[in-house]
Amino acid sequence: MKSYILFDHDGVLVDTEHWYWTAGERALADVGVVLDKAQYLSDMTRGLGTWAQARSAGVDEPTIDRLRVARDGYYQEYLRTQPIEIDGVVDVLAELSRHARLAIVTTSKRADFDLIHERRQIRAFMDFVLVREDYQRAKPDPEPYLAGLRRFGAARSDTLVVEDSARGLRSAMAAGIDCAVVDNHFTRDGDFSGARYRIDTLRELVDIVRGDAG
């Protein structure tokens, strides 16, 4: 049985992974660089991202700084206009909150996170939220999840991380916390061999938290 759950955010509670990549793809297209998805996902696993391919293509740092601003603007446009709901999330969180304490540990920037949750109920179930500005080293470093443990005052053995990406799984494993990886169409080809659980939907977490799953 698990008494504490640390949720990743993008791709787990809201379907935003595709739109973040699309925003980067659009920004790089402005300077004639094609963002390869497979390479992007590989770079993300190593804690890199959109700009690794830009640098490989010879884009200089001042231009990358300008493109980052453009990417962030495109992403927020998508957050305002595109469907990012994942069916059943609120109902599952309501059920889980009867059995465990919940929190979010995300690499999302505070501005993006706040925009996503202006009119959503997800935050109401959380003890706290840690966004990118709340820690020094991002996933796959263990720092974000270790910070979550400290905030809860929880033991590793009593805690479950819920992730959708290989980068997030590596962070949880490095922190010594069991991880359930939920299927996400954007990241499903990653290496999840270290996951304690593989689940198709968040609904399966209820049995895991209660100790009914192996």
Side-chain angles (χ1 to χ4, degrees), residues 38 41-42 45 164-167 169-170 181 183-195 198:
L41 291 171
S42 176
T45 300
D164 73 306
S165 71
R167 175 179 68 166
L169 171 60
R170 287 179 60 190
V181 172
D183 182 66
N184 178 289
H185 62 93
F186 190 76
T187 56
R188 63 171 50 131
D189 293 331
D191 177 8
F192 300 121
S193 56
R198 296 291 304 275

Short mmCIF file of all heavy atoms in Angstrom, two decimals, residues 38 41-42 45 164-167 169-170 181 183-195 198:
data_model
loop_
_atom_site.label_atom_id
_atom_site.label_comp_id
_atom_site.label_asym_id
_atom_site.label_seq_id
_atom_site.Cartn_x
_atom_site.Cartn_y
_atom_site.Cartn_z
N ALA A 38 11.96 11.55 -33.03
CA ALA A 38 12.69 10.46 -32.38
C ALA A 38 13.93 11.01 -31.67
O ALA A 38 14.24 10.62 -30.53
CB ALA A 38 13.08 9.39 -33.38
N LEU A 41 12.88 12.96 -28.50
CA LEU A 41 12.56 12.11 -27.36
C LEU A 41 13.82 11.51 -26.74
O LEU A 41 13.93 11.40 -25.52
CB LEU A 41 11.60 11.00 -27.79
CG LEU A 41 10.18 11.47 -28.14
CD1 LEU A 41 9.38 10.33 -28.76
CD2 LEU A 41 9.47 12.00 -26.90
N SER A 42 14.78 11.15 -27.57
CA SER A 42 16.05 10.65 -27.07
C SER A 42 16.78 11.73 -26.28
O SER A 42 17.34 11.47 -25.20
CB SER A 42 16.92 10.17 -28.23
OG SER A 42 18.20 9.76 -27.78
N THR A 45 15.27 12.29 -22.83
CA THR A 45 15.64 11.26 -21.86
C THR A 45 16.94 11.62 -21.16
O THR A 45 17.14 11.29 -19.98
CB THR A 45 15.78 9.90 -22.56
OG1 THR A 45 14.52 9.55 -23.15
CG2 THR A 45 16.19 8.81 -21.58
N ASP A 164 5.09 9.23 -17.32
CA ASP A 164 4.79 8.75 -18.66
C ASP A 164 6.01 8.72 -19.55
O ASP A 164 5.94 8.25 -20.69
CB ASP A 164 3.72 9.62 -19.33
CG ASP A 164 4.27 10.98 -19.73
OD1 ASP A 164 4.84 11.67 -18.85
OD2 ASP A 164 4.16 11.35 -20.91
N SER A 165 7.15 9.22 -19.07
CA SER A 165 8.33 9.35 -19.92
C SER A 165 9.52 8.62 -19.34
O SER A 165 9.63 8.40 -18.12
CB SER A 165 8.71 10.83 -20.09
OG SER A 165 9.23 11.36 -18.88
N ALA A 166 10.45 8.23 -20.22
CA ALA A 166 11.68 7.58 -19.78
C ALA A 166 12.50 8.52 -18.91
O ALA A 166 13.15 8.09 -17.95
CB ALA A 166 12.48 7.10 -20.98
N ARG A 167 12.49 9.80 -19.23
CA ARG A 167 13.22 10.78 -18.43
C ARG A 167 12.68 10.82 -17.00
O ARG A 167 13.44 10.81 -16.03
CB ARG A 167 13.12 12.16 -19.07
CG ARG A 167 13.76 13.26 -18.24
CD ARG A 167 13.67 14.60 -18.91
NE ARG A 167 12.31 15.11 -19.00
CZ ARG A 167 12.02 16.38 -19.30
NH1 ARG A 167 12.98 17.23 -19.57
NH2 ARG A 167 10.78 16.77 -19.36
N LEU A 169 10.93 8.45 -15.48
CA LEU A 169 11.20 7.17 -14.83
C LEU A 169 12.63 7.14 -14.29
O LEU A 169 12.86 6.70 -13.15
CB LEU A 169 10.99 6.03 -15.82
CG LEU A 169 11.45 4.64 -15.35
CD1 LEU A 169 10.71 4.21 -14.09
CD2 LEU A 169 11.27 3.62 -16.48
N ARG A 170 13.58 7.63 -15.06
CA ARG A 170 14.98 7.66 -14.60
C ARG A 170 15.12 8.53 -13.36
O ARG A 170 15.87 8.19 -12.43
CB ARG A 170 15.88 8.17 -15.71
CG ARG A 170 16.10 7.18 -16.85
CD ARG A 170 16.98 7.77 -17.94
NE ARG A 170 18.29 8.13 -17.44
CZ ARG A 170 19.17 8.84 -18.14
NH1 ARG A 170 18.87 9.27 -19.35
NH2 ARG A 170 20.35 9.12 -17.62
N VAL A 181 4.35 3.70 -14.67
CA VAL A 181 4.37 4.42 -15.95
C VAL A 181 3.04 4.21 -16.64
O VAL A 181 2.64 3.07 -16.91
CB VAL A 181 5.53 3.93 -16.85
CG1 VAL A 181 5.43 4.56 -18.23
CG2 VAL A 181 6.87 4.28 -16.21
N ASP A 183 0.54 4.72 -19.88
CA ASP A 183 0.68 4.80 -21.33
C ASP A 183 0.34 6.19 -21.84
O ASP A 183 -0.66 6.79 -21.45
CB ASP A 183 -0.23 3.77 -22.00
CG ASP A 183 -0.09 3.79 -23.51
OD1 ASP A 183 0.99 3.43 -24.00
OD2 ASP A 183 -1.06 4.19 -24.19
N ASN A 184 1.20 6.71 -22.69
CA ASN A 184 0.98 7.99 -23.36
C ASN A 184 1.38 7.82 -24.81
O ASN A 184 2.49 7.33 -25.10
CB ASN A 184 1.80 9.09 -22.69
CG ASN A 184 1.64 10.44 -23.36
OD1 ASN A 184 2.12 10.66 -24.47
ND2 ASN A 184 0.97 11.35 -22.69
N HIS A 185 0.51 8.21 -25.72
CA HIS A 185 0.77 7.97 -27.15
C HIS A 185 2.03 8.65 -27.64
O HIS A 185 2.68 8.18 -28.58
CB HIS A 185 -0.43 8.46 -27.98
CG HIS A 185 -0.69 9.92 -27.86
ND1 HIS A 185 -0.18 10.85 -28.72
CD2 HIS A 185 -1.42 10.62 -26.94
CE1 HIS A 185 -0.57 12.07 -28.35
NE2 HIS A 185 -1.32 11.96 -27.28
N PHE A 186 2.43 9.75 -27.01
CA PHE A 186 3.59 10.51 -27.48
C PHE A 186 4.90 9.89 -27.01
O PHE A 186 5.91 9.93 -27.73
CB PHE A 186 3.49 11.95 -27.00
CG PHE A 186 4.50 12.87 -27.63
CD1 PHE A 186 4.35 13.31 -28.94
CD2 PHE A 186 5.61 13.29 -26.92
CE1 PHE A 186 5.29 14.15 -29.53
CE2 PHE A 186 6.56 14.13 -27.49
CZ PHE A 186 6.40 14.55 -28.80
N THR A 187 4.92 9.31 -25.81
CA THR A 187 6.18 8.84 -25.22
C THR A 187 6.25 7.32 -25.07
O THR A 187 7.22 6.80 -24.51
CB THR A 187 6.36 9.47 -23.82
OG1 THR A 187 5.22 9.15 -23.01
CG2 THR A 187 6.52 10.97 -23.91
N ARG A 188 5.30 6.58 -25.61
CA ARG A 188 5.18 5.16 -25.29
C ARG A 188 6.32 4.30 -25.80
O ARG A 188 6.47 3.15 -25.38
CB ARG A 188 3.86 4.59 -25.81
CG ARG A 188 3.69 4.63 -27.30
CD ARG A 188 2.44 3.83 -27.75
NE ARG A 188 1.27 4.18 -27.01
CZ ARG A 188 0.08 4.48 -27.58
NH1 ARG A 188 -0.03 4.50 -28.91
NH2 ARG A 188 -0.96 4.75 -26.83
N ASP A 189 7.16 4.81 -26.70
CA ASP A 189 8.26 4.00 -27.23
C ASP A 189 9.52 4.09 -26.39
O ASP A 189 10.56 3.54 -26.77
CB ASP A 189 8.59 4.43 -28.67
CG ASP A 189 7.46 4.10 -29.64
OD1 ASP A 189 6.73 3.13 -29.38
OD2 ASP A 189 7.31 4.82 -30.64
N GLY A 190 9.46 4.75 -25.24
CA GLY A 190 10.63 4.87 -24.39
C GLY A 190 10.98 3.57 -23.69
O GLY A 190 10.24 2.58 -23.72
N ASP A 191 12.15 3.56 -23.03
CA ASP A 191 12.61 2.40 -22.27
C ASP A 191 12.04 2.49 -20.86
O ASP A 191 12.48 3.31 -20.04
CB ASP A 191 14.13 2.38 -22.22
CG ASP A 191 14.68 1.22 -21.38
OD1 ASP A 191 13.88 0.35 -20.97
OD2 ASP A 191 15.91 1.20 -21.14
N PHE A 192 11.06 1.64 -20.57
CA PHE A 192 10.41 1.65 -19.27
C PHE A 192 10.68 0.36 -18.49
O PHE A 192 9.90 -0.04 -17.62
CB PHE A 192 8.90 1.85 -19.44
CG PHE A 192 8.55 3.14 -20.13
CD1 PHE A 192 7.84 3.14 -21.33
CD2 PHE A 192 8.94 4.36 -19.60
CE1 PHE A 192 7.52 4.33 -21.96
CE2 PHE A 192 8.63 5.55 -20.23
CZ PHE A 192 7.91 5.55 -21.41
N SER A 193 11.79 -0.28 -18.79
CA SER A 193 12.09 -1.57 -18.18
C SER A 193 12.29 -1.47 -16.67
O SER A 193 12.14 -2.46 -15.96
CB SER A 193 13.34 -2.19 -18.83
OG SER A 193 14.45 -1.29 -18.74
N GLY A 194 12.60 -0.28 -16.16
CA GLY A 194 12.80 -0.13 -14.73
C GLY A 194 11.55 0.21 -13.95
O GLY A 194 11.60 0.38 -12.72
N ALA A 195 10.41 0.29 -14.62
CA ALA A 195 9.17 0.67 -13.94
C ALA A 195 8.67 -0.46 -13.06
O ALA A 195 8.72 -1.63 -13.44
CB ALA A 195 8.11 1.04 -14.96
N ARG A 198 3.41 -0.97 -15.09
CA ARG A 198 3.00 -0.39 -16.37
C ARG A 198 1.49 -0.41 -16.39
O ARG A 198 0.87 -1.46 -16.18
CB ARG A 198 3.55 -1.20 -17.55
CG ARG A 198 5.06 -1.22 -17.67
CD ARG A 198 5.64 0.13 -18.07
NE ARG A 198 5.07 0.63 -19.30
CZ ARG A 198 5.52 0.31 -20.52
NH1 ARG A 198 6.52 -0.53 -20.66
NH2 ARG A 198 4.95 0.84 -21.59
#
